Amino acid sequence: MPYYEDFENGTVNGWTFNNSSNGWYVGTATAKESTYSLYISNNYGANNEYENNTSFSYAYCMLNIEQICLVNVSFDWKSMGEDSWDVLRAFMIPVSKSPNLNAGSSNDMSGSGNTAPNGWIDVSEADGFMQGSEDWQHSTRNVVLLETGNYYLVFFWKNDGYVGINPPAAVDNISVEMVSTCLPVANVSVDNYDKYSSEISWDASGTVSPWQVLVSQSASVSEATETPLLVNSTTANVSNLTPGTEYY
């Protein structure tokens, strides 16, 4: 990393395609900008169209993650299709999960079902599946990767054998970048407080520690303006507060 692919060399360039009758190709039938993109086609890439033959197709490449970290995954996409039956999905999957990425494998996401297998990390910002737009959209999402090693970056297309609304999925300008090795926390709460002290707690991402806790009267708090409190658990006790003062 970082990884970037705009397909402008016109080749698959390290990607694997496991295709049903409606499958993934790199070609010139559509593109966000310039000439080439990755898209679903029913005629080997000549057009960005699909037909009503039930399909489960996968396009993926392998990325190596050297540190537990927060990464940003972004890409341009468009996809029409029928509601939740004909959709585009995007995942990062640890190779250690041994995912079944064979053509025709639904991974229990057939029909209107869109619950991904355990360990498949959704990297789109579109509520888990992308559908309903014939115009290009931009997706960007930060995700936490809690193990090191190889990951598959996967684009999955599925359609059933009934109503079909063209065009199907197309993807362009893929970017994967590390944001930070400092992982975000969740469910921050302030409890057991009085005029001069309080207890701050949170849920950790994985087992990474320690944490730095910064408390300030300014919303622009940073290590340059405040001395961080270093703790090894998911609870911190803050003292010497001033009554009637707003803290961040």
Side-chain angles (χ1 to χ4, degrees):
M1 291 208 301
Y3 174 80
Y4 181 75
E5 180 60 74
D6 61 5
F7 303 104
E8 285 306 307
N9 61 9
T11 67
V12 297
N13 198 27
W15 287 75
T16 298
F17 300 155
N18 291 338
N19 288 335
S20 296
S21 58
N22 300 308
W24 291 103
Y25 298 89
V26 170
T28 60
T30 186
K32 171 63 168 61
E33 50 199 22
S34 298
T35 305
Y36 290 87
S37 73
L38 170 69
Y39 53 85
I40 290 292
S41 176
N42 62 1
N43 54 8
Y44 305 100
N47 296 307
N48 178 213
E49 298 177 357
Y50 75 114
E51 56 194 2
N52 294 334
N53 294 328
T54 299
S55 296
F56 304 98
S57 296
Y58 298 85
Y60 62 94
C61 68
M62 186 182 294
L63 303 176
N64 182 258
I65 305 300
E66 297 181 347
Q67 303 178 73
I68 294 173
C69 61
L70 181 72
V71 301
N72 176 264
V73 182
S74 68
F75 53 90
D76 297 315
W77 70 273
K78 64 176 182 175
S79 182
M80 285 298 291
E82 178 196 8
D83 296 327
S84 57
W85 283 266
D86 305 351
V87 300
L88 167 67
R89 304 290 304 274
F91 304 100
M92 286 191 71
I93 311 170
V95 173
S96 62
K97 296 290 184 183
S98 300
N100 182 358
L101 304 179
N102 293 325
S105 174
S106 72
N107 284 292
D108 295 324
M109 293 184 286
S110 60
S112 61
N114 286 293
T115 301
N118 183 45
W120 291 33
I121 304 167
D122 185 359
V123 296
S124 75
E125 65 177 12
D127 297 325
F129 62 94
M130 292 161 280
Q131 180 272 338
S133 179
E134 61 182 338
D135 298 320
W136 286 98
Q137 307 293 320
H138 185 69
S139 173
T140 182
R141 184 170 184 173
N142 290 342
V143 295
V144 174
L145 302 182
L146 293 176
E147 62 179 83
T148 59
N150 290 327
Y151 282 72
Y152 293 124
L153 173 61
V154 181
F155 289 94
F156 168 60
W157 165 261
K158 72 167 188 177
N159 68 267
D160 65 6
Y162 297 98
V163 178
I165 305 173
N166 280 302
V171 177
D172 207 349
N173 301 319
I174 302 166
S175 173
V176 183
E177 296 181 326
M178 186 174 72
V179 176
S180 176
T181 57
C182 183
L183 303 183
V185 299
N187 302 319
V188 178
S189 64
V190 179
D191 302 293
N192 301 323
Y193 52 84
D194 56 28
K195 290 182 178 181
Y196 306 103
S197 65
S198 68
E199 180 182 275
I200 304 172
S201 62
W202 58 89
D203 292 337
S205 296
T207 58
V208 177
S209 66
W211 292 271
Q212 291 183 336
V213 179
L214 285 83
V215 178
S216 175
Q217 296 177 23
S218 170
S220 58
V221 59
S222 71
E223 292 183 51
T225 60
E226 303 292 337
T227 301
L229 176 65
L230 192 66
V231 295
N232 290 303
S233 68
T234 55
T235 301
N237 294 303
V238 180
S239 58
N240 298 320
L241 302 178
T242 302
T245 303
E246 184 175 22
Y247 286 91
Y248 296 89

